[in-house]
Amino acid sequence: MTVAVAESSKATKADEKTWVFLFNQLDKVESTAKTKDWEDIRSLLGGKGANLFEMTRLGLPVPPGFTVTTEACNAYLKYDHQFPPAMWDQEVVAMHAVEQQVGKNFGDPKNPLFVSCRSGAKFSMPGMMDTVLNIGLNDETAKGMIELTGDARFVYDSYRRLIQMFGSVVMGVADEPFEDVITEFKKRKGVKNDVELAADDWMQIVERFKGLVKAYKGIDFPQDPYKQLEMATRAVFNSWFGKRAIDYRNATNISHDLGTAVNIVTMVFGNMGEDSATGVAFTRNPVDGVNELYGDYLINAQGEDVVAGIRNTLPIAQLEKDMPEAFAEFMNIVNKLETHFRDMQDVEFTIERKKLWMLQTRNGKRTARAAIKIAVDMTNEGLIKKEEAVMRVTPEQVDQLLHPQFSAETKKKARKEGKLLVSKAVNASPGAAVGMAVFDADTADEWGKAGKAVIMVRPETKPDDVHGMIAAKGILTSRGGATSHAAVVARQFGTPAVCGAEEMEIDVDHRMFHIQVDDKEVEVREGDWISLDGGTGEVFLGQLPTQDPDFENEAELNILLKWADGVRRLGVWANADYPKDAERARRYGAQGIGLCRTEHMFFEEDRLPIVQEMIMATSRARRLTALERLLPVQRNDFEGIFRAMDGLPVIIRLLDPPLHEFLPSYQDLVADLADLKVRLQHFHTLSEIDTALGLVRQKEDILSRVKALSESNPMLGLRGDRLSVVMPEITEMQVRAILEAAIHVKKDGIDVHPEIMVPLAGHVNELKYIKEIVDRIAEEVFTESGMTVDFKYGSMVEVPRAALTADELATVAEFYSFGTNDLTQTTFGMSRDDAESKFLMEYTEKEILPSNPFQQLDRGGVGKLINMTVELGRGTRPDMHMGICGEHGGDPNSIEFCHMAKLNYVSCSPYRVPIARLAAAQAAVKHP
């Protein structure tokens, strides 16, 4: 033992802050932290540490150890990467306590103790931070272990693992040189797997590894066990702000200020022979949620072999045959853990010479489908309540479940065409992915950010690949099993993945892979399109078409959403411009249409020429003629939507965009005219010349009208309610179409509830002026038809003045709908298109803004205007109905705000209706 260690070996002083706790000191943790709240304990000890403490308290076979708290990590990072006062002393004292518990001594060649050093943040971040195994091994303890075990192969295999992991994780030596040495020895011996190398091979590899460390870093691999422990502890702390950890936290919205704990655990060895093993298992299937044990293991291996995907693994069910006694004990333990934690557990275990040890348990990462099924099943089993089930599934997981899929017909056709490349790999994460093959994470990240669809192809993924995995549409590996790094991370992000496709020969250097298909060899190069089905483990050549999932047949999802409907207060409506959109919205559970945009109907091919004729009209008479032709078309559109939404409200917004948007752009017209004039010179017949001149005159007329309609800032120009004031005949036609359609469907027995909404209003006199038009047209329609329909008249709130004078507007408007896209633009004084293309990304990266305000509602500014509108509007009209209809209506964070602001509903895309239903319920649970 070194002098420094001897000086540090003293009891913790009473007035010192406690940075380190033994696994059997959970009571002390609760006393020191002055809390028994499990979330607070997890914040202090990290998720991994907290669960090791809890398993120890439950009496499960956990190797003794201790945890250095997240507070120590944050102090270390805050104070220039220096251990906080007394932390190292406490770590050494804790090591001596572990020595007493196991009857071994750290660094003693005659009876050596070895430990692992593992990270463990509050929230699971699989593979994103650093781990080092077999700490304490050195030249002397290796010799002692050989004398104790009589197994030189096991000892040198463990020693080389330490040097490789320590060299890579702690000292910054690239992993590839180490792997190259192992590959060289396997080729020399003519073997395929690491386990086939003998003791003498590993002894030579150890010396080669030590040479690599010396060559790359200029210093020797440390032989002092306490120096190894100190450096490993620092490495784990430092890994909290490693690139992959930052990328992962950014992608999963985990705070950067939590820090990681360090868990020092007595080593147990799964690589001591054929009676030893290591594995990872889930108490339920994390892919589909079926209540069955799921996982992998390896005989004569260490845990990193399983999760890294270096060797293809054995299914966990086979362990019952290989080691029946250990398997029986394992099953009893995992059942106990699931019942105790009331959630599906992801466990790591090692069997050392037939003795089972539990190394970790945590709530398991799972696919969207599995999350929903497990939540529903556990509720039906009585483990959790319905409200808990609603909170167990994230809105993002509902979104993932509704992603496109390959139809059976599509895959059948692809097989007939010889496009099936892989048919029996591991279905690691479900879903359909179509993209261009790329062979490294940096390219995947670069291409993905450029808007390209990519599938990342690797022999196996490593934690450093996470930025590419986040950018990829799918992941394909030739090695690894269902619990490999690639599989776990893919399931976390809902990314389709196929792993362990052994028939693929991947050449990363030349950016290609080969595979034998029937009697021919197929070569796929970077940039070639491939399609993979993560639910079946199949890979196809080329781009396969996808289709939307069958929502009605998602039994567990519909059960969960019905539970959510019983909890939420907010209504969920949909934005729909066509009958087919309304039908889909209703199937997905929408309770009304919150926004029907009439301008989208105008862009249809059969009516755009009529719209352009109306815009080109130089007199009111000509404009009315065009509008008369548009009237039956608009009326038919509204009838279809009313029929689809029988019994539910439909809010129809009057024409909003500036008229020039329906005409060709100025630049296109100038280019077309120039082209026509050049072609005119080559015409010879009078007929050709007359036709060309007619086109020229037509283009010139349109160009003249485009110039007349052009504005310096169209977003704040002649649009919305201003069009109704300047060209009231457009509003007259639209109101007539709405009410005539309502009368028509009412005659057919449809229960119709139309609501007419004015866009962009900022002054009460605008609403009054347009209300007179609406009332006049309504009286005409009702008189002509001999029938009436009840309808509402309301306003969008899209400009700050509407919010500031909401009490005045409410004297006319019967309802408000917040157009949060434009309200965000006018509140910030920024154009969305320009902001997102020019500076918003930099604003969020530099944390000037916490998030993109067009994606997540700005509570501090836009939110204040909404709250003001609610208070003022209901001060005038207490029962006033209010909702939002911008893109924020489908964003869970924004939906939570809407619940807190006491809005009546949110309206979103039909595809996001299920997401909004769940998010609204979660907001109600969090803010009753």
Side-chain angles (χ1 to χ4, degrees):
M1 186 179 297
T2 65
V3 174
V5 172
E7 292 175 350
S8 298
S9 301
K10 57 179 183 273
T12 302
K13 296 178 181 178
D15 59 345
E16 285 180 351
K17 182 175 180 62
T18 305
W19 305 103
V20 180
F21 296 92
L22 296 167
F23 290 167
N24 60 5
Q25 292 181 323
L26 187 53
D27 291 341
K28 181 181 178 182
V29 172
E30 294 170 346
S31 172
T32 303
K34 296 182 173 59
T35 181
K36 291 190 175 184
D37 182 85
W38 190 242
E39 287 305 302
D40 293 338
I41 300 298
R42 279 165 46 83
S43 296
L44 181 66
L45 299 176
K48 183 178 293 182
N51 288 346
L52 285 168
F53 278 64
E54 185 67 6
M55 285 198 294
T56 301
R57 182 152 70 178
L58 291 172
L60 302 182
V62 176
F66 57 87
T67 293
V68 186
T69 68
T70 59
E71 290 180 344
C73 173
N74 286 329
Y76 168 86
L77 295 171
K78 182 178 180 180
Y79 295 109
D80 198 26
H81 291 216
Q82 298 297 316
F83 287 153
M87 189 210 86
W88 176 245
D89 292 343
Q90 292 176 25
E91 193 166 346
V92 172
V93 169
M95 180 63 78
H96 293 329
V98 172
E99 289 175 333
Q100 293 177 359
Q101 290 176 27
V102 299
K104 299 177 182 179
N105 296 311
F106 192 53
D108 180 2
K110 294 181 180 179
N111 189 24
L113 167 65
F114 305 115
V115 297
S116 63
C117 180
R118 300 170 179 266
S119 62
K122 177 179 180 179
F123 300 107
S124 176
M125 297 169 53
M128 296 303 110
M129 291 178 293
D130 290 335
T131 293
V132 182
L133 306 180
N134 308 332
I135 293 171
L137 264 169
N138 58 24
D139 293 347
E140 295 304 313
T141 55
K143 293 176 184 175
M145 273 296 283
I146 292 172
E147 290 184 16
L148 286 171
T149 64
D151 190 345
R153 188 205 172 281
F154 149 70
V155 173
Y156 283 114
D157 176 33
S158 301
Y159 194 7
R160 67 88 185 176
R161 290 172 187 270
L162 169 63
I163 300 171
Q164 182 173 358
M165 295 181 77
F166 197 94
S168 176
V169 166
V170 179
M171 303 183 76
V173 180
D175 194 49
E176 286 75 15
F178 295 110
E179 288 297 326
D180 290 344
V181 171
I182 296 174
T183 301
E184 173 193 328
F185 269 78
K186 286 193 290 189
K187 285 183 178 178
R188 187 190 305 169
K189 294 289 185 176
V191 299
K192 183 178 180 181
N193 297 312
D194 295 359
V195 293
E196 298 174 273
L197 293 176
D200 186 61
D201 300 319
W202 289 122
M203 184 172 65
Q204 294 179 57
I205 289 171
V206 163
E207 294 305 313
R208 289 279 296 275
F209 279 10
K210 287 193 287 187
L212 283 174
V213 171
K214 179 76 171 179
Y216 277 92
K217 305 307 294 184
I219 57 175
D220 291 324
F221 172 78
Q223 293 290 308
D224 180 355
Y226 277 94
K227 188 64 177 176
Q228 294 175 9
L229 180 65
E230 178 205 339
M231 293 175 70
T233 302
R234 290 182 186 276
V236 172
F237 281 166
N238 291 335
S239 70
W240 176 252
F241 278 116
K243 182 181 185 304
R244 67 191 189 224
I246 293 172
D247 288 342
Y248 186 93
R249 290 198 296 274
N250 286 337
T252 52
N253 296 315
I254 295 174
S255 173
H256 293 296
D257 62 4
L258 297 176
T260 180
V262 174
N263 300 288
I264 306 301
V265 188
T266 300
M267 281 299 305
V268 288
F269 295 96
N271 59 332
M272 293 191 76
E274 295 302 307
D275 60 354
S276 301
T278 188
V280 176
F282 295 79
T283 54
R284 303 194 186 210
N285 191 315
V287 177
D288 58 22
V290 172
N291 191 356
E292 63 183 8
L293 190 66
Y294 177 99
D296 305 295
Y297 74 102
L298 286 168
I299 291 175
N300 197 17
Q302 285 199 315
E304 288 300 303
D305 297 340
V306 177
V307 297
I310 296 169
R311 288 167 55 186
N312 287 337
T313 52
L314 302 170
I316 192 70
Q318 190 170 321
L319 185 62
E320 185 175 16
K321 297 178 180 177
D322 291 336
M323 301 179 185
E325 291 182 6
F327 182 79
E329 182 185 4
F330 179 71
M331 287 301 298
N332 287 333
I333 288 172
V334 296
N335 288 334
K336 184 175 183 178
L337 286 172
E338 181 175 278
T339 301
H340 179 77
F341 287 104
R342 299 186 314 117
D343 203 350
M344 182 260 278
Q345 294 298 292
D346 166 8
V347 301
E348 293 182 16
F349 66 94
T350 285
I351 300 169
E352 180 183 283
R353 291 183 170 173
K354 299 183 179 181
K355 166 65 177 172
L356 174 67
W357 295 95
M358 302 302 297
L359 306 182
Q360 173 176 286
T361 190
R362 60 187 175 190
N363 293 341
K365 303 296 182 185
R366 62 205 74 179
T367 67
R369 184 175 301 283
I372 293 165
K373 180 171 176 55
I374 290 170
V376 171
D377 285 353
M378 285 191 166
T379 303
N380 292 334
E381 293 163 15
L383 274 176
I384 60 176
K385 296 179 180 179
K386 289 180 181 179
E387 288 79 5
E388 289 180 275
V390 166
M391 298 302 290
R392 288 276 178 95
V393 178
T394 67
E396 291 76 17
Q397 286 172 323
V398 174
D399 186 25
Q400 291 165 13
L401 187 63
L402 298 177
H403 280 179
Q405 302 168 354
F406 298 132
S407 69
E409 294 75 18
T410 292
K411 294 200 292 185
K412 183 177 180 181
K413 180 182 177 184
R415 291 188 194 97
K416 284 185 177 180
E417 294 172 352
K419 293 182 178 179
L420 180 63
L421 300 179
V422 177
S423 61
K424 57 180 180 180
V426 177
N427 52 334
S429 183
V434 181
M436 292 179 282
V438 298
F439 291 85
D440 69 273
D442 290 339
T443 303
D445 184 49
E446 179 186 345
W447 288 19
K449 286 179 177 176
K452 297 180 180 179
V454 300
I455 290 179
M456 195 168 82
V457 183
R458 299 286 294 166
E460 72 275 332
T461 64
K462 299 178 180 179
D464 287 339
D465 292 329
V466 69
H467 59 297
M469 300 174 77
I470 292 169
K473 300 293 185 185
I475 298 163
L476 173 61
T477 70
S478 60
R479 297 199 288 264
T483 58
S484 64
H485 175 265
V488 171
V489 174
R491 288 195 290 269
Q492 162 75 10
F493 291 112
T495 304
V498 173
C499 297
E502 293 179 291
E503 54 265 60
M504 291 168 51
E505 292 183 18
I506 300 176
D507 186 341
V508 174
D509 292 337
H510 293 91
R511 300 186 173 278
M512 60 189 298
F513 72 80
H514 297 269
I515 190 166
Q516 196 73 24
V517 179
D518 297 329
D519 296 328
K520 63 179 180 179
E521 185 176 85
V522 176
E523 181 180 282
V524 175
R525 293 185 171 273
E526 189 158 83
D528 290 346
W529 287 86
I530 55 176
S531 303
L532 64 84
D533 188 333
T536 61
E538 296 171 297
V539 182
F540 298 87
L541 186 65
Q543 297 172 262
L544 268 59
T546 59
Q547 67 174 24
D548 293 329
D550 187 355
F551 176 78
E552 282 91 346
N553 287 329
E554 294 290 348
E556 282 87 4
L557 174 59
N558 279 285
I559 290 171
L560 185 76
L561 291 178
K562 284 179 181 176
W563 294 345
D565 293 341
V567 173
R568 63 183 169 89
R569 181 188 59 75
L570 268 176
V572 177
W573 296 18
N575 303 337
D577 306 326
Y578 304 100
K580 66 178 185 296
D581 296 332
E583 290 165 3
R584 181 187 301 278
R586 187 154 195 169
R587 289 199 308 273
Y588 282 16
Q591 297 164 288
I593 299 300
L595 177 63
C596 175
R597 291 159 287 209
T598 54
E599 63 269 10
H600 285 193
M601 303 169 179
F602 284 0
F603 282 107
E604 290 293 303
E605 200 172 305
D606 62 338
R607 60 198 75 174
L608 183 58
I610 308 174
V611 176
Q612 291 176 340
E613 180 185 327
M614 180 267 293
I615 295 169
M616 293 295 296
T618 55
S619 68
R620 175 179 167 83
R622 288 185 178 180
R623 190 175 300 119
L624 285 172
T625 300
L627 289 169
E628 285 175 6
R629 294 169 60 199
L630 276 176
L631 174 62
V633 178
Q634 281 252 282
R635 186 171 57 225
N636 287 338
D637 289 332
F638 297 143
E639 284 188 26
I641 291 175
F642 289 148
R643 292 182 192 280
M645 301 305 292
D646 184 7
L648 298 176
V650 176
I651 297 178
I652 299 172
R653 183 179 71 184
L654 299 176
L655 189 63
D656 182 36
L659 294 179
H660 77 270
E661 289 192 7
F662 298 98
L663 298 175
S665 72
Y666 179 85
Q667 291 80 4
D668 289 346
L669 286 167
V670 170
D672 289 348
L673 270 171
D675 182 56
L676 275 171
K677 289 176 179 179
V678 170
R679 289 164 55 196
L680 187 60
Q681 300 173 17
H682 300 285
F683 294 144
H684 302 291
T685 69
L686 190 60
S687 173
E688 289 176 331
I689 294 171
D690 283 346
T691 301
L693 286 173
L695 286 171
V696 169
R697 284 192 293 271
Q698 182 184 9
K699 294 283 186 183
E700 286 176 338
D701 288 344
I702 297 174
L703 181 62
S704 176
R705 188 61 172 150
V706 168
K707 285 180 180 179
L709 291 171
S710 67
E711 297 173 294
S712 299
N713 191 342
M715 189 194 83
L716 300 179
L718 181 58
R719 55 167 287 213
D721 62 341
R722 298 156 197 169
L723 277 171
S724 295
V725 174
V726 175
M727 298 181 183
E729 54 272 20
I730 297 176
T731 299
E732 291 170 356
M733 181 276 291
Q734 290 200 300
V735 172
R736 177 172 285 275
I738 293 168
L739 296 178
E740 286 183 353
I743 293 290
H744 287 184
V745 300
K746 183 177 180 180
K747 288 179 180 178
D748 294 339
I750 300 297
D751 183 13
V752 62
H753 298 275
E755 302 187 18
I756 298 171
M757 182 164 68
V758 176
L760 212 68
H763 198 287
V764 67
N765 288 341
E766 293 173 314
L767 289 181
K768 288 178 179 178
Y769 180 88
I770 298 168
K771 180 75 159 55
E772 291 177 1
I773 297 173
V774 172
D775 288 345
R776 174 170 51 83
I777 298 298
E779 186 176 350
E780 292 177 8
V781 171
F782 296 161
T783 300
E784 293 165 6
S785 65
M787 291 181 65
T788 63
V789 291
D790 292 329
F791 69 93
K792 290 183 179 180
Y793 175 76
S795 174
M796 294 193 77
V797 178
E798 300 176 277
V799 295
R801 195 181 192 282
L804 294 168
T805 61
D807 50 346
E808 295 179 30
L809 270 61
T811 61
V812 182
E814 297 174 86
F815 66 89
Y816 284 148
S817 177
F818 295 94
T820 50
N821 297 337
D822 274 352
L823 187 57
T824 299
Q825 291 191 101
T826 54
T827 301
F828 274 94
M830 63 172 68
S831 158
R832 176 174 185 171
D833 291 342
D834 292 331
E836 290 189 327
S837 64
K838 297 292 197 310
F839 62 84
L840 257 188
M841 182 178 292
E842 193 165 346
Y843 263 52
T844 55
E845 287 176 351
K846 292 180 177 178
E847 299 184 351
I848 293 171
L849 291 175
S851 60
N852 182 336
F854 295 104
Q855 295 175 355
Q856 190 172 99
L857 192 136
D858 164 45
R859 297 189 183 192
V862 176
K864 280 186 178 178
L865 290 175
I866 291 175
N867 283 325
M868 180 187 301
T869 304
V870 172
E871 182 179 351
L872 291 174
R874 289 182 179 152
T876 299
R877 195 183 291 267
D879 60 347
M880 196 171 195
H881 211 246
M882 301 186 196
I884 69 168
C885 61
E887 288 183 32
H888 297 100
D891 169 60
N893 182 278
S894 305
I895 291 169
E896 180 185 46
F897 170 82
C898 293
H899 170 87
M900 297 166 67
K902 295 182 170 53
L903 300 189
N904 298 96
Y905 69 90
V906 295
S907 187
C908 58
S909 158
Y911 290 97
R912 294 194 71 81
V913 165
I915 298 161
R917 290 166 66 188
L918 180 65
Q922 292 181 342
V925 173
K926 290 167 67 177
H927 308 283

